[in-house]
Amino acid sequence: MCAAPRPDSGRNGRAIEARLPRLAPMSATPSARRAAAKDPAVAESVAGAAGSVAGADDAPAVLADETVDGLVADERPASRIEIVDIPSARVHHPSDLLGMILSALAVVLVMAMATYAHNTTTGVAEDVQGFATLLSQILFVPVQVLEGFVTLVVPLAVITELAFRRLGRQLLEGLLAALVAVLLNEIVRYGVEHLATDALAVGLSIREAGEWVVTLPGYVAMLVGLLTVVGPRSRRRTVKWSWNLLWVATGVLLITAGVSLPGLLVSFFLGRVAGLGVRYLSGVQSERAYGESLVSGVRRAGFEPARIVRVADPTTDAEAADSKVPVPDLGTDPAARALTRSTRDRVYALTTDSGDDLDLVVIDGDRQVVGMLTRLWRTLRMRGIEGRSVVSLRQAAERAALLAYAARAAGVRTPKLLSLAEAEDSMLLVQEQPGRAVPLGSLEPERFTDDLLAEIWAQLRLAHEAGIAHRALTSDVILVEDVVGRPVVWITSWELGDVASSELARRMDVTQLVALLALRVGAARAVGSAADVLPDQDIGAIGPLLQTISLPRLTRDEMRAHKEVLTELRSALVARLPEADVEPQQLIRFGARSVLTVVVPIVALLFVITTINIDEISHALSKSDWRWTALAFALGMLTLVGAALAFVAFSPVKLQLWRTILVQTAAAFVALAAPAGLGPAALNLRMLTKRGVSATLSAATVALVQVSQLIVTLGLVVVLTLASGNNESPLPISPAVLIVVGIVAALVAASLLIPRVRQWVLAKTLPTLRQTWPRLIEVVGQPWRLILALAGNLLMTLGFIFAFYASMEAFGQHATLIQVALVYLLGNTTGALVPTPGGVGTIEFALAAYLASVTGINAGVATSIAIVFRVVTYWLRIPIGWVAMQYLQKRGEL
């Protein structure tokens, strides 16, 4: 007999054919074969029974002392197990990349602590060095001798063992990592000595002969890089003792004040960066189950394999494209290939010695790191979308088994899981094949009959009735086969699902399936097929979830090519259930807008701190007049009356002016958590809907208010420009700025000549125009409404302009009215484009920048003016808005 070769012994890209001992004859039942494995007497009786059936010539000689994984072996020389695979001899562990990144961040953190927490690191080092006297009594060799001994002996011992084991590649990788670690250490040393601040240099130094000397022990970085590459402590004795010796030497060096604590940590982490980087780029010896270990795992699962054929997947496709040698014929079953895409695990077509065809799913441990990080990120970022995160290979396999058993027990048609086993750094799941089913994505359009759609929804309903959610319904996990002319549906790949799932998880399943079917049969038919099986309550609940972020990656990719499908789904849902809510639900805890909310104010604060001139601002403050500041606050409050007048003018129902002013005041509080301009719009919409106005008419009214504000603002700019257009008035904007504005206007006009750009602009503007036009026609028929709206908008805009003018006068700064108006209008509009709550940071920055460039006022003073203006027109109104909000909520107005 010949043992199957190890995974790395076969040439990459060629089939591995392993001759392995067979078990008891095929005619014996599985239970009899397992009994034969445990008892030699039973083995002989099983073999004898099988031999009597097969004939004397076929009777095997079963040897009780020859077992493979506890099973009795057969010595027939013609017996063989065929394995068709493309093993990966070396793999790139994502955990190595993650460790390298974390080590690099640790270097930065240690340097930051050495700079800004110097007293803390020095105190820790002094506490440790308190043992120096005791250590000097114990040591019988100088510290320099111990340091030289470690530097010489550790590499020599490791290199010798690698050489004796003929691990030449690992030896070269270790030496390369050591060299890279030393180079990194010296680069950092040079940067600290010549480019870093004095605080950082002192933090990484020790005092010698009255001078500060930077201590970044290069031998520590070298040894850490070498030992990181050569393998774990548990695998080689020399590595284990080398790590212990290194810890002892560095501890002694630290206690005797031969190195600073931050310097020692920096060198250590630089060694880790080098070692993990080399190990990731070069790859490590695969610990996945291949060849003989794979066969042993199948046997531990209770099956005797006769043939194991790898199913082609993206990994094998890449290997085949890059390979220069002939590749084996891999499995191409559509259902199995879909299984590899949905699980991203290795899948094999397993044929047992009894002729059963099964699927063998192999979950590899090195792939769990990426999956765990992805799930963790989505769990942190999304609200209820991602399931629980597993932390180990065994947990991943057990979770997959639990969901498969639960789904099948609920009556869902899914492949039956037969057994699990562990082999090397892999978990093996043996399951039945789903007949001759094919994935939903490969079906022809004419096969999507009403019976098929009903059967798909019926299978999902069975799972939901048992409290099970799938969480990743794609065209690869839904399989279809025809049995006696009727469609039979399978749902596979339950490993990401949930038992005892939440309502949100089940709503996500319905949303994913509706979107998946809409891509193939249209939105109306997809919604209709769901409504035929599910209650209206379940159908109406998916409206807020019709977003790309709620869909699996495969469906999202398909949806990008058909972006109109989600819109059509919302329309079809409203057409079937007019009362359905299709307003998107907030599923993301934080996104680009949240990041901007945090980053932009910090950047604005840094701008204020780094650009202001303290002396000039102090001089301006000493000459400022508090009465102008009070006037600016009063003018800012007057703008609330103007906003209320405009809203009352356009409202389709009668509104009390006092209550409307309170709503505008409460909007100042809401603006603390909403981008500029959205707070008033949201409360106005709420005020109308609370008074029985339909959602469509309320939205049209609010949109008309905002459009009228824009028109009045632009008209005011034109009027002020014409009113100040005399020879004595200075040009409000420099010629260079006018040239830039002209160029931008020309570019915008030219871009509108491009059909795609023009279509995009129309798509953004026409919905608003269609929404507001009927309401505008109605308002035009009542001139008093137009006059009232015009007065309100003018009062609001002029109130802010004069408040800004008063803020300038408070600092003794002067400018023409047109300059003040342009600075305010441009600054406020530009700052509001960035979606930070209330425009915090962005509006202040824009106002100060425009004020300094247009009027020539010092940037520090301009910043002070902008801040004072925002304080009196935004920040001081927030507590007043909170009081108004509480009052309105108690009265049931909002």
Side-chain angles (χ1 to χ4, degrees):
M1 294 185 300
C2 300
R6 295 193 60 81
D8 54 347
S9 62
R11 293 186 63 183
N12 186 21
R14 292 187 177 178
I16 300 177
E17 295 188 356
R19 294 191 178 185
L20 294 171
R22 281 184 174 268
L23 300 183
M26 291 186 227
S27 55
T29 64
S31 58
R33 291 199 300 270
R34 281 191 285 270
K38 298 179 181 179
D39 190 349
V42 176
E44 292 179 3
S45 63
V46 170
S52 62
V53 173
D57 295 338
D58 297 328
V62 179
L63 303 180
D65 58 344
E66 286 195 24
T67 64
V68 179
D69 291 340
L71 299 179
V72 180
D74 187 357
E75 279 192 319
R76 289 183 300 173
S79 65
R80 55 189 296 168
I81 298 175
E82 181 184 4
I83 303 177
V84 181
D85 199 356
I86 302 181
S88 298
R90 304 186 70 84
V91 296
H92 302 277
H93 274 295
S95 58
D96 292 337
L97 178 61
L98 177 62
M100 183 184 69
I101 295 174
L102 294 178
S103 298
L105 293 177
V107 171
V108 176
L109 179 61
V110 171
M111 287 186 173
M113 293 184 63
T115 303
Y116 300 104
H118 178 67
N119 293 335
T120 302
T121 55
T122 303
V124 173
E126 289 177 352
D127 292 340
V128 174
Q129 291 165 7
F131 296 96
T133 303
L134 177 62
L135 184 64
S136 61
Q137 299 175 357
I138 298 176
L139 287 178
F140 57 89
V141 294
V143 176
Q144 292 78 4
V145 175
L146 178 61
E147 181 179 345
F149 176 78
V150 172
T151 307
L152 178 64
V153 170
V154 168
L156 185 60
V158 173
I159 291 173
T160 301
E161 181 178 6
L162 293 177
F164 271 111
R165 293 178 179 269
R166 298 181 180 179
L167 300 174
R169 177 166 180 166
Q170 200 164 5
L171 174 60
L172 294 177
E173 291 171 354
L175 295 177
L176 177 61
L179 177 61
V180 171
V182 172
L183 290 177
L184 286 177
N185 195 78
E186 293 308 310
I187 291 173
V188 172
R189 182 196 302 276
Y190 178 85
V192 170
E193 291 177 346
H194 297 87
L195 304 175
T197 62
D198 293 338
L200 178 58
V202 171
L204 299 177
S205 303
I206 60 173
R207 196 90 174 168
E208 286 187 0
E211 295 183 357
W212 289 104
V213 179
V214 176
T215 54
L216 294 174
Y219 78 93
V220 172
M222 177 191 71
L223 295 180
V224 170
L226 173 66
L227 296 177
T228 299
V229 168
V230 296
R233 297 164 58 98
S234 58
R235 180 170 296 181
R236 295 186 177 86
R237 187 180 299 271
T238 57
V239 176
K240 175 182 178 180
W241 285 105
S242 296
W243 276 114
N244 294 337
L245 193 58
L246 177 61
W247 293 128
V248 171
T250 53
V252 170
L253 192 63
L254 181 62
I255 292 175
T256 57
V259 66
S260 65
L261 177 60
L264 180 62
L265 293 176
V266 167
S267 294
F268 174 84
F269 287 118
L270 287 176
R272 291 290 292 177
V273 169
L276 292 172
V278 170
R279 197 164 72 182
Y280 177 75
L281 294 175
S282 177
V284 296
Q285 194 71 26
S286 174
E287 297 181 359
R288 301 174 180 176
Y290 289 108
E292 184 179 0
S293 60
L294 183 64
V295 172
S296 300
V298 174
R299 284 172 170 165
R300 277 192 290 272
F303 299 91
E304 176 60 23
R307 191 169 187 263
I308 302 176
V309 180
R310 175 80 171 269
V311 175
D313 56 38
T315 303
T316 60
D317 293 343
E319 291 279 355
D322 298 337
S323 179
K324 297 181 180 179
V325 296
V327 296
D329 294 330
L330 303 179
T332 58
D333 178 67
R337 292 213 62 172
L339 186 60
T340 65
R341 292 192 297 267
S342 61
T343 63
R344 298 186 181 277
D345 296 321
R346 287 187 286 146
V347 178
Y348 294 83
L350 170 65
T351 302
T352 65
D353 60 352
S354 58
D356 297 327
D357 291 325
L358 305 172
D359 281 337
L360 173 63
V361 181
V362 181
I363 305 176
D364 295 315
D366 58 80
R367 298 181 61 88
Q368 295 304 303
V369 176
V370 175
M372 181 186 68
L373 293 177
T374 303
R375 288 189 293 270
L376 178 61
W377 167 249
R378 287 178 60 85
T379 301
L380 292 176
R381 186 168 179 256
M382 307 299 176
R383 299 179 186 272
I385 292 183
E386 192 61 29
R388 301 179 183 88
S389 179
V390 295
V391 295
S392 69
L393 174 63
R394 180 172 289 274
Q395 286 180 344
E398 291 174 348
R399 183 176 181 81
L402 170 65
L403 267 298
Y405 286 138
R408 192 169 180 87
V412 181
R413 190 176 293 106
T414 189
K416 181 179 180 181
L417 181 63
L418 302 177
S419 184
L420 286 84
E422 185 174 10
E424 298 288 343
D425 191 29
S426 302
M427 292 292 295
L428 280 59
L429 284 73
V430 182
Q431 62 186 32
E432 293 179 346
Q433 292 183 347
R436 297 184 178 181
V438 296
L440 190 71
S442 61
L443 287 183
E444 296 80 7
E446 58 272 12
R447 293 187 62 182
F448 285 91
T449 62
D450 292 341
D451 290 340
L452 173 60
L453 300 182
E455 177 65 15
I456 294 174
W457 285 110
Q459 292 297 315
L460 182 63
R461 186 176 184 178
L462 286 174
H464 285 184
E465 288 176 347
I468 305 171
H470 190 282
R471 288 184 171 270
L473 290 170
T474 68
S475 58
D476 281 336
V477 305
I478 299 177
L479 308 179
V480 180
E481 67 172 332
D482 288 332
V483 178
V484 197
R486 294 187 59 83
V488 175
V489 175
W490 300 72
I491 300 182
T492 63
S493 304
W494 290 88
E495 60 275 355
L496 296 180
D498 268 341
V499 293
S501 60
S502 64
E503 180 186 356
L504 176 60
R506 295 191 292 273
R507 287 169 56 198
M508 296 288 297
D509 278 357
V510 177
T511 304
Q512 292 173 4
L513 187 53
V514 165
L516 176 63
L517 295 178
L519 288 167
R520 286 157 177 82
V521 301
R525 192 178 173 198
V527 173
S529 66
D532 292 340
V533 179
L534 303 178
D536 289 346
Q537 181 181 0
D538 292 349
I539 302 300
I542 69 173
L545 302 181
L546 288 173
Q547 310 173 48
T548 55
I549 194 65
S550 65
L551 305 177
R553 180 178 297 276
L554 178 59
T555 309
R556 286 204 305 269
D557 293 340
E558 297 179 26
M559 196 65 72
R560 289 191 183 100
H562 304 84
K563 297 181 180 179
E564 72 284 353
V565 172
L566 284 179
T567 303
E568 294 173 355
L569 274 173
R570 296 189 186 99
S571 301
L573 186 61
V574 173
R576 190 172 191 92
L577 300 172
E579 70 280 4
D581 179 18
V582 294
E583 185 68 22
Q585 180 180 343
Q586 184 67 26
L587 297 175
I588 303 177
R589 289 193 177 97
F590 59 90
R593 178 173 296 179
S594 303
V595 174
L596 286 176
T597 301
V598 176
V599 173
V600 172
I602 294 176
V603 174
L605 180 62
L606 292 176
F607 167 78
V608 171
I609 294 175
T610 56
T611 58
I612 60 176
N613 189 317
I614 301 298
D615 295 333
E616 292 186 4
I617 293 176
S618 300
H619 180 70
L621 286 174
S622 64
K623 293 185 177 182
S624 63
D625 191 344
W626 64 269
R627 290 171 294 183
W628 283 105
T629 304
L631 178 60
F633 174 73
L635 290 170
M637 295 300 295
L638 188 62
T639 61
L640 299 176
V641 178
L645 289 174
F647 186 47
V648 168
F650 289 120
S651 172
V653 295
K654 186 177 180 180
L655 299 176
Q656 294 181 357
L657 180 60
W658 171 244
R659 295 292 174 87
T660 309
I661 293 175
L662 286 179
V663 170
Q664 307 308 310
T665 306
F669 172 71
V670 177
L672 188 63
L678 292 186
L683 288 188
N684 289 342
L685 186 66
R686 181 65 175 170
M687 187 179 187
L688 291 177
T689 54
K690 287 288 288 185
R691 282 156 177 77
V693 182
S694 65
T696 304
L697 184 56
S698 298
T701 302
V702 172
L704 186 58
V705 171
Q706 293 179 315
V707 170
S708 67
Q709 291 173 357
L710 176 62
I711 294 175
V712 169
T713 300
L714 295 178
L716 188 60
V717 172
V718 174
V719 171
L720 290 176
T721 303
L722 295 176
S724 62
N726 55 71
N727 295 330
E728 296 179 358
S729 299
L731 188 65
I733 305 178
S734 64
V737 175
L738 289 177
I739 293 174
V740 171
V741 172
I743 294 175
V744 171
L747 291 176
V748 171
S751 65
L752 293 177
L753 299 177
I754 303 174
R756 181 169 295 181
V757 175
R758 188 167 59 251
Q759 292 172 3
W760 180 83
V761 172
L762 291 176
K764 295 297 183 181
T765 56
L766 284 181
T768 303
L769 183 60
R770 293 193 186 102
Q771 190 179 41
T772 58
W773 185 255
R775 183 62 186 154
L776 180 60
I777 295 299
E778 182 180 352
V779 171
V780 169
Q782 299 172 300
W784 70 269
R785 288 183 180 271
L786 285 178
I787 295 173
L788 184 60
L790 176 64
N793 286 323
L794 281 175
L795 181 61
M796 182 177 63
T797 305
L798 289 175
F800 280 121
I801 291 174
F802 284 117
F804 191 63
Y805 184 86
S807 300
M808 292 181 60
E809 290 294 335
F811 284 86
Q813 304 297 319
H814 308 286
T816 63
L817 185 60
I818 181 60
Q819 286 179 318
V820 175
L822 287 176
V823 167
Y824 165 72
L825 296 174
L826 292 175
N828 188 72
T829 304
T830 305
L833 292 177
V834 181
T836 59
V840 175
T842 58
I843 293 181
E844 289 88 343
F845 176 83
L847 287 174
Y850 281 119
L851 184 60
S853 62
V854 171
T855 64
I857 297 176
N858 175 270
V861 178
T863 302
S864 300
I865 294 173
I867 291 175
V868 169
F869 170 74
R870 288 285 287 169
V871 167
V872 298
T873 59
Y874 176 74
W875 292 105
L876 290 182
R877 298 201 303 190
I878 290 176
I880 302 175
W882 180 81
V883 174
M885 176 71 77
Q886 298 300 314
Y887 174 80
L888 292 171
Q889 287 180 338
K890 288 181 180 179
R891 294 298 184 95
E893 299 289 341
L894 295 178

